Amino acid sequence: QVQLVQSGGGSVQAGGSLRLSCAASGYTYSNNCMGWFRQAPGEEREGVARIYTGGTSTYYADSVKGRFTITADNAKNTVYLQMNSLKPEDTAMYYCAARPYSTDDDCRRFGMKTFQYNTWGQGTQVTVSS
C-alpha cells in the first residue's frame, strides 16, 4: 500500500523556521514527482514546491521562493520542506503528495495541479503568529 507519512510542523512566531518531512513507503521509491501543497481555511489547496526525486529539478511558488527549500533524501525515501522566514500568511495545513514512477518531463508537466498527484499525506498544521 502506497503511503506518505508526514511529520514536523507546529507553531512558530513570524521570522521563525520549521521543517516538514514526508516519508514514502509501500512502493519502489525511485523516480517520483513529489510536491508540497497547503490549504488555509476557506481557501483552495495551492502548490508550494515540487521536486523530481530522480534528478535535481525543483519548482517554487512565487510566494515562498527564497524562503522555502524542498529536498529529497532518496536513501530514506523522504522529502523535506525547510521553511525559513515564516510569515503569518504561511499559516495553513500542509500536505505532501506524490506521483510515483514519473519522469522529469512528467513532473514539469504536472506542475502543481493537485489532480496529477495520486498519493497524499495526512496533512500537518503550520501556524505562524505575528
Side-chain angles (χ1 to χ4, degrees), residues 95-124:
Y95 299 89
C96 67
R99 179 71 179 261
Y101 312 117
S102 300
T103 66
D104 193 12
D105 285 344
D106 288 337
C107 203
R108 294 173 190 272
R109 179 167 50 84
F110 296 157
M112 299 306 299
K113 304 179 186 70
T114 55
F115 69 89
Q116 293 284 13
Y117 294 80
N118 54 16
T119 304
W120 291 81
Q122 79 275 20
T124 186

Side-chain angles (χ1 to χ4, degrees), residues 19-107:
R19 190 176 81 156
L20 306 181
S21 300
C22 175
S25 64
Y27 67 102
T28 303
Y29 183 92
S30 54
N31 298 335
N32 301 277
C33 192
M34 301 287 292
W36 285 98
F37 295 77
R38 66 186 182 187
Q39 188 168 18
E43 303 288 333
E44 291 192 357
R45 192 168 297 188
E46 64 171 351
V48 173
R50 183 194 75 231
I51 189 167
Y52 176 61
T53 62
T56 59
S57 69
T58 57
Y59 164 87
Y60 296 93
D62 288 342
S63 57
V64 306
K65 202 171 293 183
R67 300 187 298 120
F68 290 12
T69 304
I70 186 170
T71 57
D73 184 340
N74 290 345
K76 296 183 178 180
N77 294 357
T78 300
V79 171
Y80 303 95
L81 185 69
Q82 178 66 43
M83 305 183 292
N84 298 330
S85 303
L86 282 161
K87 304 175 181 180
E89 51 263 43
D90 295 318
T91 295
M93 184 72 77
Y94 282 70
Y95 299 89
C96 67
R99 179 71 179 261
Y101 312 117
S102 300
T103 66
D104 193 12
D105 285 344
D106 288 337
C107 203

